[in-house]
């Protein structure tokens, strides 16, 4: 019996946690008791209603629990306590010899940083032991830092903090009234990012019917949500919202945008054909019809031109190979393509520029601008001249440019037109100052000389004489004009 008792005593005194004795106050268990008291004293700075935010350690126990802190303290301090001098006096309550790195964790990591302002004094009173005070710098954070994690902010304060870029949890706003007040405060703050963040929260936590009903009377927030849904591509949610608001035209336009996601050209054509019957406005219905007709034309033109290019039957395609397909290109690009490759075709052909102009009611100004750029790129100056020449009912011809001759000159010069061609159109610029600027810029000497002659400006003619090449025809022309001016002045 005595043998068994002796074994039992040896077991208890040789284990990691020895049995409690009244006469041993300086063993490991007394340190654990001190740690436990420190942990308990810190509970005042933490609310107990946030169990959903607690962390879990590798052992599976919640971080911050007493059992976790005791085990962590014991495991961290065992290695250092094993080597302590056994001659320490019993009854001593000082732990100054405990090294700072005895614990492998920081007590501040047990908590979520929230505090009651009145508990700082009790915290300092509780941490009276020297060994525990080693952790005080980690616990005593600035008050503003503790406020960052507070869950007691009002909707107005929450919005202000979000505007300053602070992290705020919106999950505490559970009731519908609190959520709507939060949304109203966000709108009143005139910060689009905050409004969008709150709307995302409401979209996730409210039923669609309730959210739609409340947004119907909050137009600013409604516009933000519609824009957000379009940017993120949440098409189904957007269509449900627009249908609830009875915005039939916007529903139709949103459905029409789906064609952008269709890559197959035949499927896109069929989709556009189905969109024609949607409840668009009169103007939009016309645009949808034009889009469908244009895609049909492009399919026909693409098939024919691809065949000609592969067969090598067209000199133009051999000299200027196509850089891209015409499919799904805008109307202006299609017109340029037609003016480049099919300019001389009869109006009855789908690829004829005049056919496109008539079918899609392209204005004269747009047609001339596009055709001029295409023919100038091919250096077809005869086509340029014919494009800008009109004939009246008496049979007289004259040059006419709906886009203005100054733009004609710029387009021609950009395509490296000869000086003789440029001078012809620079002369047709009506504004004298613009004409002189263009003529000087592009070295159309004859135009400059003739303009100064018409203005009878001997000073400018004399000055310009120094800018032309000595002995050139332009210098002789200037000298002749100056001589005539002198002769006429004395006659």
């Amino acid at each position: 019996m005595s043998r068994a008792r002796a074994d039992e005593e040896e077991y208890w005194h040789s284990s990691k946690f020895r049995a409690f004795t009244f006469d041993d106050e300086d063993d490991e268990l007394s340190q654990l008791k001190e740690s436990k008291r420190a942990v308990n004293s810190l509970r005042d700075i933490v609310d107990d209603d946030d169990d959903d935010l607690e962390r879990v350690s590798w052992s599976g126990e919640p971080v911050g629990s007493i059992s976790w802190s005791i085990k962590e303290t014991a495991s961290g301090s065992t290695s250092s306590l094993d080597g302590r001098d056994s001659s320490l006096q019993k009854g001593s309550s000082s732990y100054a010899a405990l090294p700072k790195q005895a614990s492998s964790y920081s007590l501040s990591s047990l908590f979520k940083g929230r505090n009651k302002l009145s508990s700082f004094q009790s915290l300092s009173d509780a941490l009276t032991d020297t060994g525990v005070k080693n952790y005080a710098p980690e616990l005593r954070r600035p008050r503003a830092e503790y406020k960052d994690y507070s869950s007691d902010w009002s909707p107005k304060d929450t919005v202000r903090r979000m505007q300053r870029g602070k992290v705020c949890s919106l999950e505490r706003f559970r009731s519908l009234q609190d959520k709507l007040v939060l949304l109203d405060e966000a709108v009143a703050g005139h910060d689009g990012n905050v409004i969008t963040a709150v709307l995302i929260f409401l979209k996730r936590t409210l039923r669609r019917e309730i959210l739609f009903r409340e947004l119907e009377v909050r137009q600013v927030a409604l516009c933000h949500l519609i824009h957000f849904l379009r940017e993120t591509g949440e098409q189904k949610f957007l269509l449900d919202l627009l249908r609830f608001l009875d915005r039939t035209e916007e529903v139709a336009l949103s459905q029409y945008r789906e064609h952008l996601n269709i890559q197959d050209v035949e499927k896109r054509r069929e989709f556009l054909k189905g969109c024609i019957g949607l409840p668009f406005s009169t103007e939009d219905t016309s645009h949808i019809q034009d889009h469908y007709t244009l895609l049909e034309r492009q399919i026909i033109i693409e098939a024919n031109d691809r065949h000609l290019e592969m067969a090598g039957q067209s000199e133009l395609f051999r000299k200027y190979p196509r850089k891209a397909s015409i499919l799904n290109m805008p109307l202006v690009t299609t017109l340029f393509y037609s003016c480049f490759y099919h300019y001389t075709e009869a109006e009855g052909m789908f690829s004829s520029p005049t056919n496109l102009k008539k079918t899609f009611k392209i204005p004269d100004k747009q047609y001339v601008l596009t055709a001029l750029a295409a023919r100038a790129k091919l250096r077809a100056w005869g086509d340029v001249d014919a494009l800008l020449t009109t004939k009246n009912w008496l049979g007289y011809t004259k040059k006419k440019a709906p886009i203005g001759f100054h733009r004609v000159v710029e387009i021609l010069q950009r395509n490296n037109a000869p000086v003789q061609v440029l001078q012809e159109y620079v002369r047709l610029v009506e504004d004298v100052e613009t004409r002189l600027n263009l003529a000087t810029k592009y070295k159309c000497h004859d135009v400059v000389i003739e303009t100064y002659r018409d203005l009878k400006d001997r000073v400018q003619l004399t000055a310009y004489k120094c800018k032309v090449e000595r002995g050139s025809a332009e210098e002789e022309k200037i000298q002749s004009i100056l001589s005539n001016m002198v002769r006429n002045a004395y006659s």
Side-chain angles (χ1 to χ4, degrees):
M1 192 70 178
S2 61
R3 176 69 176 172
R5 180 162 188 163
D7 292 340
E8 183 178 356
E9 290 293 326
E10 182 181 356
Y11 167 78
W12 282 108
H13 287 282
S14 63
S15 66
K16 186 176 182 180
F17 298 102
R18 294 197 297 273
F20 175 79
T21 56
F22 286 99
D23 58 344
D24 190 2
E25 296 181 2
D26 197 35
D27 55 6
E28 293 177 36
L29 187 60
S30 63
Q31 294 184 50
L32 299 181
K33 287 169 60 182
E34 293 293 334
S35 176
K36 181 176 180 180
R37 286 198 302 271
V39 172
N40 288 333
S41 68
L42 293 173
R43 284 192 169 188
D44 292 336
I45 70 171
V46 185
D47 293 336
D48 295 329
D49 58 350
D50 278 348
D51 294 335
D52 53 82
L53 297 177
E54 64 184 3
R55 295 162 51 199
V56 178
S57 69
W58 287 110
S59 64
E61 294 177 343
V63 176
S65 63
I66 295 301
S67 61
W68 179 87
S69 61
I70 290 176
K71 290 181 179 181
E72 288 291 315
T73 307
S75 61
S77 59
T78 300
S79 59
S80 61
L81 290 175
D82 288 344
R84 288 184 60 185
D85 191 352
S86 59
S87 63
L88 286 174
Q89 297 180 359
K90 294 183 179 181
S92 174
S93 60
S94 174
Y95 292 96
L98 180 65
K100 199 169 188 177
Q101 64 273 20
S103 176
S104 61
Y105 72 100
S106 168
L107 288 178
S108 62
S109 66
L110 306 181
F111 310 103
K112 295 178 276 294
R114 297 186 304 155
N115 65 301
K116 297 176 182 177
L117 297 180
S118 60
S119 63
F120 277 100
Q121 184 61 35
S122 60
L123 173 64
S124 61
D125 293 338
L127 303 177
T128 55
D129 284 344
T130 307
V132 179
K133 285 182 180 179
N134 289 332
Y135 303 103
E138 295 186 43
L139 292 171
R140 293 174 181 171
R141 297 179 179 178
R143 296 189 179 188
E145 186 174 345
Y146 284 109
K147 291 180 182 179
D148 287 348
Y149 300 90
S150 176
S151 63
D152 298 329
W153 295 102
S154 66
K156 187 173 184 179
D157 292 334
T158 301
V159 169
R160 287 179 177 175
R161 290 175 57 76
M162 292 174 70
Q163 290 175 333
R164 295 198 298 269
K166 299 288 186 178
V167 177
C168 298
S169 175
L170 304 182
E171 301 296 333
R172 65 176 300 274
F173 299 102
R174 300 179 183 274
S175 68
L176 176 62
Q177 182 179 359
D178 287 346
K179 292 176 182 178
L180 295 179
V181 172
L182 179 66
L183 178 60
D184 292 337
E185 290 293 343
V187 172
H190 306 291
D191 191 318
N193 292 331
V194 176
I195 296 173
T196 302
V198 173
L199 285 171
I200 294 174
F201 168 66
L202 298 186
K203 174 176 170 289
R204 181 169 53 85
T205 58
L206 291 178
R207 293 207 314 268
R208 291 189 180 186
E209 297 79 8
I210 297 175
L211 177 62
F212 295 167
R213 185 184 68 237
E214 297 299 336
L215 289 179
E216 192 173 10
V217 296
R218 295 171 171 84
Q219 290 299 310
V220 174
L222 177 63
C223 291
H224 274 268
L225 181 60
I226 290 175
H227 180 74
F228 171 76
L229 294 174
R230 284 174 177 164
E231 288 292 318
T232 56
E234 298 185 54
Q235 188 69 12
K236 188 177 184 305
F237 196 100
L238 176 61
L239 291 177
D240 290 343
L241 174 58
L242 295 176
R243 289 192 185 100
F244 178 87
L245 300 172
D246 197 27
R247 298 186 180 181
T248 56
E249 292 184 12
E250 291 188 48
V251 172
L253 287 172
S254 296
Q255 289 180 303
Y256 165 68
R257 288 191 187 96
E258 284 296 303
H259 82 273
L260 297 172
N261 300 323
I262 303 174
Q263 300 300 323
D264 185 83
V265 66
E266 289 293 339
K267 291 181 179 180
R268 179 178 286 197
R269 182 178 67 85
E270 290 301 319
F271 179 84
L272 291 174
K273 185 177 181 180
C275 288
I276 295 174
L278 294 177
F280 293 102
S281 64
T282 304
E283 183 179 2
D284 288 339
T285 301
S286 176
H287 291 324
I288 302 301
Q289 180 67 58
D290 286 345
H291 190 175
Y292 170 72
T293 304
L294 177 62
L295 184 57
E296 266 195 329
R297 295 286 182 89
Q298 289 174 343
I299 292 173
I300 295 172
I301 296 172
E302 176 67 20
N304 292 335
D305 288 359
R306 186 184 301 163
H307 174 72
L308 289 173
E309 189 175 30
M310 293 179 65
Q313 299 175 358
S314 173
E315 183 182 353
L316 188 60
F317 283 116
R318 289 198 304 268
K319 190 175 181 179
Y320 301 99
R322 299 189 310 157
K323 296 182 179 180
S325 169
I326 194 61
L327 295 175
N328 299 317
M329 291 297 178
L331 176 58
V332 174
T333 305
T334 307
L335 178 62
F336 181 91
Y337 178 93
S338 180
C339 290
F340 194 92
Y341 290 107
H342 305 282
Y343 189 71
T344 58
E345 288 185 1
E347 185 177 335
M349 302 293 290
F350 282 153
S351 54
S352 169
T354 52
N355 188 300
L356 289 173
K357 180 178 184 294
K358 183 177 180 180
T359 301
F360 298 102
K361 300 179 176 61
I362 300 176
D364 289 341
K365 184 178 291 187
Q366 181 66 67
Y367 178 81
V368 170
L369 182 63
T370 307
L372 177 65
R375 302 318 294 174
K377 195 168 189 66
L378 287 170
R379 302 179 66 83
W381 311 124
D383 292 339
V384 171
D385 185 73
L387 180 67
L388 301 174
T389 302
T390 60
K391 184 183 294 187
N392 61 15
W393 63 280
L394 293 175
Y396 294 105
T397 61
K398 69 173 184 177
K399 293 290 192 298
K400 182 180 179 181
I403 61 175
F405 283 106
H406 64 287
R407 296 196 65 185
V408 172
V409 172
E410 292 173 354
I411 293 172
L412 295 179
Q413 192 278 332
R414 202 157 48 234
N415 288 279
N416 301 315
V419 175
Q420 293 79 7
V421 176
L422 282 178
Q423 286 190 147
E424 181 179 356
Y425 295 101
V426 171
R427 286 190 179 97
L428 298 174
V429 177
E430 293 184 1
D431 184 73
V432 175
E433 185 176 354
T434 304
R435 189 196 314 154
L436 283 171
N437 289 335
L438 290 173
T440 304
K441 181 178 180 180
Y442 301 132
K443 298 182 178 180
C444 299
H445 300 304
D446 288 344
V447 179
V448 177
I449 296 170
E450 291 168 5
T451 302
Y452 286 140
R453 180 199 61 193
D454 295 339
L455 293 174
K456 299 180 179 180
D457 194 333
R458 294 180 58 190
V459 176
Q460 291 295 340
L461 273 173
T462 305
Y464 197 75
K465 181 181 177 181
C466 301
K467 297 181 181 179
V468 299
E469 188 177 350
R470 186 178 295 276
S472 63
E474 289 80 11
E475 185 185 35
E476 294 180 2
K477 188 174 182 179
I478 294 174
Q479 186 60 45
S480 175
I481 293 173
L482 290 174
S483 300
N484 289 335
M485 285 182 177
V486 173
R487 191 180 305 112
N488 292 334
Y490 286 101
S491 60

